């Protein structure tokens, strides 16, 4: 494909920079995610047992979304157009980009459902309401409906993919001069319009926020009511209030990454602004949401925070010599155990 308009790109515009950012985010996030998972499984106190596996489910979806974006796909997008190509390891497979887009968006949607599920769990466990006996069954239907709706709305994305022989040249005509490596890349245009993708994204985010606000709002109202009616002790009230606030902050902090990305994409689309360096930087910030979310989990929940602080204190007290001696002792113990087993 010949194009007379070839632009020179700086380092921040090229895919090597973007892929490096994705690799750095992935490497940094691995110990953070595993430590967060360890805390949830082994350091969640008994008083949090009703929400333990909800936190675990949310954490799993966060990890899945994090790695599906930064490691498996690493999409090099030509914002404001809905086109690009992937740099992640899945580029070595034959899976089409439109299918991968649906899968990644689906994982993100299920992550949102997990967030709402945590607030619903608090609503169900803590609140006292007239139809609670009926909600035991209805909540399962409610949750199942959410999981069914997601693929229902994401499936059309595959059918919206236009004829690439027409769509790709048309997209290039609407963009400014591009570097030659973009013209030569396996570009896929997901859609000639952002309308459907933007609509389902905005509607979904709106529904998640509305449901979360409803559960949290009624939860706050109900625990205040229970305390006034002496059905809940002041101590329990303070614990519940603190936990709700912690959950809200935990969810809100990583949302900054999402909001920043959505604002940029919306702004770029409205004024038809293309800047690949900003595209790369924005998506790199977006890819940090998983690590930010896990750090928020550890920092905000007292049992996890205290365990992390205690671990850091123990490590800080150990001198390099002590660390080496412990490593040698552990190695010797391991070798001794191996000898015993062999004998």
């Amino acid at each position: 494909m010949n194009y007379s308009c070839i632009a020179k790109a700086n380092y921040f515009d090229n895919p090597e920079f973007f892929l490096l950012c994705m690799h750095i985010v992935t490497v940094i996030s691995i110990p953070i995610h595993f430590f967060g998972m360890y805390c949830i499984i082994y350091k969640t106190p008994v008083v949090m047992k009703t929400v333990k596996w909800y936190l675990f489910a949310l954490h799993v979806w966060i990890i899945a979304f994090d790695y599906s974006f930064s490691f498996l796909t690493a999409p090099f997008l030509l914002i404001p157009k809905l086109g690009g190509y992937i740099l992640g390891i899945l580029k070595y497979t034959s899976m089409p980009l439109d299918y991968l887009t649906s899968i990644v968006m689906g994982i993100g949607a299920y992550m949102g459902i997990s967030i709402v599920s945590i607030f619903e769990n608090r609503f169900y466990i803590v609140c006292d309401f007239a139809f609670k006996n009926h909600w035991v069954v209805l909540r399962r239907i409610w949750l199942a409906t959410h999981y069914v709706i997601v693929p229902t709305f994401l499936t059309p994305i595959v059918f919206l993919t236009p004829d690439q022989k027409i769509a790709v040249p048309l997209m290039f005509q609407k963009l400014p001069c591009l570097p030659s490596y973009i013209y030569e890349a396996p570009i896929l245009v997901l859609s000639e319009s952002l309308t459907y993708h933007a609509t389902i994204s905005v509607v979904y985010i709106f529904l998640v926020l509305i449901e979360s606000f409803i559960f949290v709002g009624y939860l706050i109202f109900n625990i205040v009511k229970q305390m006034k009616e002496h059905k809940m002790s002041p101590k329990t009230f303070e614990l519940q209030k603190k936990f709700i606030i912690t959950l809200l902050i935990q969810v809100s902090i990583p949302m900054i990454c999402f909001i920043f990305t959505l604002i940029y994409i919306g702004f770029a689309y409205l004024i038809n602004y293309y800047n690949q360096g900003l595209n790369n930087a924005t998506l790199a910030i977006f890819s940090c949401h998983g690590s930010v979310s896990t750090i928020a989990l550890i920092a905000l929940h007292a049992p996890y925070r205290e365990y992390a602080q205690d671990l850091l204190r123990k490590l800080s007290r150990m001198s390099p010599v002590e660390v080496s001696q412990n490593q040698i002792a552990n190695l010797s113990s391991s070798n001794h155990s191996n000898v015993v087993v062999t004998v």
Side-chain angles (χ1 to χ4, degrees), residues 26-303:
T26 300
V27 170
I28 292 175
S29 67
I30 289 173
I32 295 174
H33 286 323
F34 275 98
F35 184 73
M37 185 171 289
Y38 177 85
C39 287
I40 293 173
I41 296 174
Y42 296 106
K43 299 301 174 181
T44 302
V46 177
V47 293
M48 291 174 60
K49 66 179 181 179
T50 56
V51 78
K52 174 180 178 177
W53 296 112
Y54 286 86
L55 289 173
F56 178 80
L58 173 60
H59 192 61
V60 169
W61 283 118
I62 287 173
I63 293 174
F65 184 69
D66 196 1
Y67 292 147
S68 66
F69 184 85
S70 62
F71 179 64
L72 297 179
T73 58
F76 188 79
L77 300 179
L78 304 176
I79 301 168
K81 303 305 177 184
L82 203 57
Y85 58 102
I86 64 173
L87 302 172
I89 62 170
L90 289 182
K91 72 178 181 180
Y92 300 108
T93 68
S94 58
M95 187 175 291
L97 183 57
D98 48 358
Y99 284 91
L100 291 175
T101 302
S102 298
I103 292 171
V104 173
M105 289 182 69
I107 294 172
Y110 288 138
M111 181 177 65
I113 293 172
S114 293
I115 292 173
V116 180
S117 297
I118 293 177
F119 292 124
E120 186 278 332
N121 170 263
R122 293 292 84 202
F123 163 79
Y124 174 68
I125 296 296
V126 177
C127 292
D128 184 17
F129 49 95
F131 59 95
K132 191 166 187 175
N133 291 333
H134 299 291
W135 187 246
V136 175
V137 178
L138 291 175
R139 67 196 298 255
R140 296 174 183 174
I141 300 173
W142 167 82
L143 186 59
T145 303
H146 283 66
Y147 278 94
V148 171
I149 286 176
V150 170
T152 302
F153 282 97
L154 290 178
T155 301
I157 289 178
V158 178
F159 300 100
L160 289 173
T161 305
D163 183 353
Q164 298 302 299
K165 293 181 180 179
I166 300 174
V168 173
L170 186 62
M171 182 190 70
F172 284 150
Q173 290 175 13
K174 295 179 180 179
L175 289 172
C177 295
L178 300 172
S180 58
Y181 57 77
I182 293 182
Y183 292 129
E184 297 166 0
I187 298 290
L188 177 73
V189 178
L190 292 172
S191 177
E192 295 176 345
S193 173
L194 273 173
T195 304
Y196 182 79
H197 301 73
T199 301
I200 61 172
S201 299
V202 171
V203 169
Y204 173 78
I205 293 172
F206 178 76
L207 289 176
V208 167
L209 290 175
I210 288 296
E211 286 184 310
S212 298
F213 285 141
I214 290 173
F215 285 128
V216 171
Y218 189 81
L219 187 57
I220 294 172
F221 168 78
N222 196 267
I223 62 174
V224 171
K225 181 182 176 183
Q226 288 187 55
M227 192 189 70
K228 289 181 177 179
E229 295 176 352
H230 303 289
K231 294 180 180 179
M232 180 181 290
S233 67
K235 183 179 179 180
T236 304
F237 172 79
E238 288 299 324
L239 287 173
Q240 292 295 341
K241 184 180 73 171
K242 186 176 180 180
F243 186 68
I244 294 169
I245 293 173
T246 299
L247 284 177
L248 286 172
I249 298 174
Q250 177 191 340
V251 172
S252 300
I253 289 176
M255 282 298 291
I256 296 173
C257 298
F258 282 91
I259 293 171
F260 176 80
T261 305
L262 290 175
I263 290 174
Y264 172 75
I265 293 174
F267 173 78
Y269 179 74
L270 289 174
I271 66 171
N272 196 32
Y273 176 73
Y274 173 78
N275 185 319
Q276 194 58 51
L278 280 179
N279 289 348
N280 293 343
T282 301
L283 294 177
I285 293 172
F286 177 76
S287 68
C288 295
H289 85 280
S291 299
V292 173
S293 180
T294 305
I295 291 172
L297 168 79
I298 297 168
L300 293 170
H301 291 279

